[in-house]
Amino acid sequence: MKEQQVAHRRALILSGGGGRGAYHRGVYEYLEAIGWRPDILVGTSIGAINAAAIASGRTAAQLKELWLGLDSGKVQRLRTDILNFDRWTYLLDTSPWRRSLMEDGWFDFDYINSDQSPTLAIVTTDVWTGDITVFCNRPLAKSRSGGPRSKRVRCVPITLDHIMASCSIPIVYPWTSVGSEEATYWDGAVVSNTPLGTALRAGATEIVVVLLSPWEERAAVPAEGRTSFKLWTLPGLALDWVLLASFRADLKLCKALNMFAAAYELLDETQRQQVVKQLWGATTAEEQDALLERLGSYQFVQPPLIIAPRQLLPVEQIVTYDPKAHRELFKQGYADAVREMRHVIADEDHG
């Protein structure tokens, strides 16, 4: 039987990190310059905003102007109902952000929800169950296996509520109710900041992940910078470590699945039957056949290309938006993309 050709589909995964999301724009400028166009966009938190803007057809130049027009006053404001403090569930009001995103033209929802748009997946966290909930403008393939983290996928027309839900940093910003959904949602980064599995279920064969924190094991706050942290900046540092732990877990799972797929290929039919009996306890022929079919569907997954800063970005930029800082993040994202993509382009040129 002739092997079926798998369509080549590029996925861009944009992680959370608040005001540091201007870094995404710098990376996208370089990707656009070399003609690397995503077929699939997966966004969490500020990554959801940038992903939805790109899915709307916004260019890197347009994203630049949008980010330079964004400051903290257009994103959030302090609550004034201090007498209701005992009933507060969040600290900052984000109604200015909703207004800015719509009035400044970040999104074209008619285009996002049309057949011409790339696949767009927005990652959120259910406030009351902790489930990862993905809202997508296209149906995603069913997951081939379970796992410790439950995931729900909703194929729906994407709206501003879905994007704001993904940006609802717990305690800092209000949670978001989405249309007819009975559930309320927090930032997707609470549970899954860079969901590789979502991109794979969308059919990705080539993945670029853009992080807003250094991902290598050596990532650490330098000794000389440790005395500068204050009470209000320490939660940002804690968030950095949570986001990195989430990504490292996904990356290790990807590597483990590749090792399993390679090992499974070396087994003969009898050995494969022993595997499903001993590891999964399959006793009937139907159970064995179903497991063998599932295991046989696993294929080698090309490891993602990771673009990330080499040092921790200022934690205060998570909840502050400043055009001057955005310009510096543009430059940093572009430079890091050049560094990480250079060898990829060289390999293609000599391929």
Side-chain angles (χ1 to χ4, degrees), residues 196 217 247-259:
L196 295 175
E217 293 296 334
F247 177 66
R248 286 169 178 160
D250 281 349
L251 199 60
K252 287 178 180 178
L253 178 60
C254 182
K255 291 178 180 178
L257 287 174
N258 279 341
M259 292 177 64

Side-chain angles (χ1 to χ4, degrees), residues 191-350:
V191 182
S192 183
N193 190 42
T194 49
L196 295 175
T198 298
L200 294 173
R201 289 172 65 179
T205 58
E206 179 183 348
I207 301 174
V208 170
V209 176
V210 186
L211 298 177
L212 300 179
S213 304
W215 71 278
E216 296 92 342
E217 293 296 334
R218 66 177 180 272
V221 178
E224 61 272 16
R226 297 176 187 180
T227 58
S228 64
F229 282 89
K230 309 296 181 186
L231 178 64
W232 54 90
T233 59
L234 285 173
L237 180 62
L239 179 62
D240 266 324
W241 300 143
V242 169
L243 301 185
L244 285 173
S246 170
F247 177 66
R248 286 169 178 160
D250 281 349
L251 199 60
K252 287 178 180 178
L253 178 60
C254 182
K255 291 178 180 178
L257 287 174
N258 279 341
M259 292 177 64
F260 174 82
Y264 190 77
E265 281 293 315
L266 300 177
L267 303 179
D268 59 33
E269 190 62 28
T270 300
Q271 291 171 324
R272 292 178 181 181
Q273 290 175 356
Q274 291 176 345
V275 167
V276 299
K277 287 180 183 178
Q278 295 176 3
L279 296 185
W280 282 276
T283 56
T284 68
E286 290 77 9
E287 289 176 336
Q288 291 178 21
D289 290 343
L291 280 168
L292 287 170
E293 182 179 0
R294 177 189 294 180
L295 295 176
S297 69
Y298 284 102
Q299 297 179 348
F300 181 84
V301 176
Q302 189 68 30
L305 176 70
I306 303 161
I307 301 174
R310 288 187 166 179
Q311 296 182 337
L312 285 167
L313 299 175
V315 294
E316 60 270 16
Q317 289 181 359
I318 292 176
V319 291
T320 59
Y321 293 76
D322 173 52
K324 183 178 179 180
H326 297 164
R327 288 186 182 276
E328 292 303 313
L329 288 167
F330 294 162
K331 295 176 184 177
Q332 190 169 351
Y334 188 93
D336 289 338
V338 170
R339 185 185 72 244
E340 297 298 336
M341 295 290 289
R342 184 181 293 128
H343 72 278
V344 175
I345 297 174
D347 290 344
E348 290 178 352
D349 291 341
H350 292 90

Side-chain angles (χ1 to χ4, degrees), residues 1-7 265 296-300:
M1 181 180 294
K2 187 176 180 179
E3 185 176 350
Q4 186 177 2
Q5 189 71 23
V6 177
E265 281 293 315
S297 69
Y298 284 102
Q299 297 179 348
F300 181 84

Side-chain angles (χ1 to χ4, degrees), residues 4-296:
Q4 186 177 2
Q5 189 71 23
V6 177
H8 185 72
R9 288 172 60 78
R10 289 171 166 169
L12 179 62
I13 301 179
L14 302 178
S15 73
R20 299 184 295 189
Y23 181 94
H24 292 154
R25 184 266 157 196
V27 173
Y28 189 64
E29 180 183 4
Y30 182 71
L31 295 179
E32 187 179 83
I34 64 174
W36 196 98
R37 305 280 182 176
D39 305 295
I40 301 159
L41 289 149
V42 182
T44 303
S45 196
I46 195 64
I49 287 180
N50 285 326
I54 295 169
S56 297
R58 305 296 180 251
T59 64
Q62 290 172 319
L63 270 178
K64 176 181 179 180
E65 294 307 311
L66 290 168
W67 269 97
L68 291 179
L70 195 62
D71 59 32
S72 295
K74 297 184 72 172
V75 172
Q76 64 218 4
R77 63 188 178 198
L78 290 172
R79 296 185 62 162
T80 56
D81 55 337
I82 190 66
L83 297 179
N84 295 324
F85 180 75
D86 61 328
R87 292 191 292 274
W88 281 15
T89 56
Y90 62 92
L91 299 175
L92 300 176
D93 175 14
T94 53
S95 56
W97 207 357
R98 283 179 170 271
R99 185 168 55 252
S100 300
L101 291 172
M102 295 305 294
E103 292 180 354
D104 294 348
W106 282 74
F107 313 122
D108 181 343
F109 289 109
D110 288 337
Y111 187 79
I112 285 176
N113 295 307
S114 72
D115 293 338
Q116 287 73 44
S117 171
T119 297
L120 173 64
I122 303 296
V123 184
T124 68
T125 302
D126 188 302
V127 172
W128 307 118
T129 68
D131 288 340
I132 303 170
T133 304
V134 178
F135 295 102
C136 191
N137 64 348
R138 303 274 192 282
L140 298 183
K142 292 183 178 180
S143 177
R144 292 176 295 186
S145 63
R149 295 183 299 176
S150 179
K151 179 180 291 185
R152 300 183 301 169
V153 177
R154 300 281 191 269
C155 177
V156 295
I158 300 298
T159 69
L160 181 61
D161 282 341
H162 298 111
I163 297 167
M164 292 302 297
S166 187
C167 297
S168 299
I169 302 174
I171 302 177
V172 178
Y173 296 146
W175 58 51
T176 304
S177 298
V178 177
S180 60
E181 291 272 335
E182 295 181 0
T184 50
Y185 299 96
W186 268 333
D187 194 321
V190 172
V191 182
S192 183
N193 190 42
T194 49
L196 295 175
T198 298
L200 294 173
R201 289 172 65 179
T205 58
E206 179 183 348
I207 301 174
V208 170
V209 176
V210 186
L211 298 177
L212 300 179
S213 304
W215 71 278
E216 296 92 342
E217 293 296 334
R218 66 177 180 272
V221 178
E224 61 272 16
R226 297 176 187 180
T227 58
S228 64
F229 282 89
K230 309 296 181 186
L231 178 64
W232 54 90
T233 59
L234 285 173
L237 180 62
L239 179 62
D240 266 324
W241 300 143
V242 169
L243 301 185
L244 285 173
S246 170
F247 177 66
R248 286 169 178 160
D250 281 349
L251 199 60
K252 287 178 180 178
L253 178 60
C254 182
K255 291 178 180 178
L257 287 174
N258 279 341
M259 292 177 64
F260 174 82
Y264 190 77
E265 281 293 315
L266 300 177
L267 303 179
D268 59 33
E269 190 62 28
T270 300
Q271 291 171 324
R272 292 178 181 181
Q273 290 175 356
Q274 291 176 345
V275 167
V276 299
K277 287 180 183 178
Q278 295 176 3
L279 296 185
W280 282 276
T283 56
T284 68
E286 290 77 9
E287 289 176 336
Q288 291 178 21
D289 290 343
L291 280 168
L292 287 170
E293 182 179 0
R294 177 189 294 180
L295 295 176

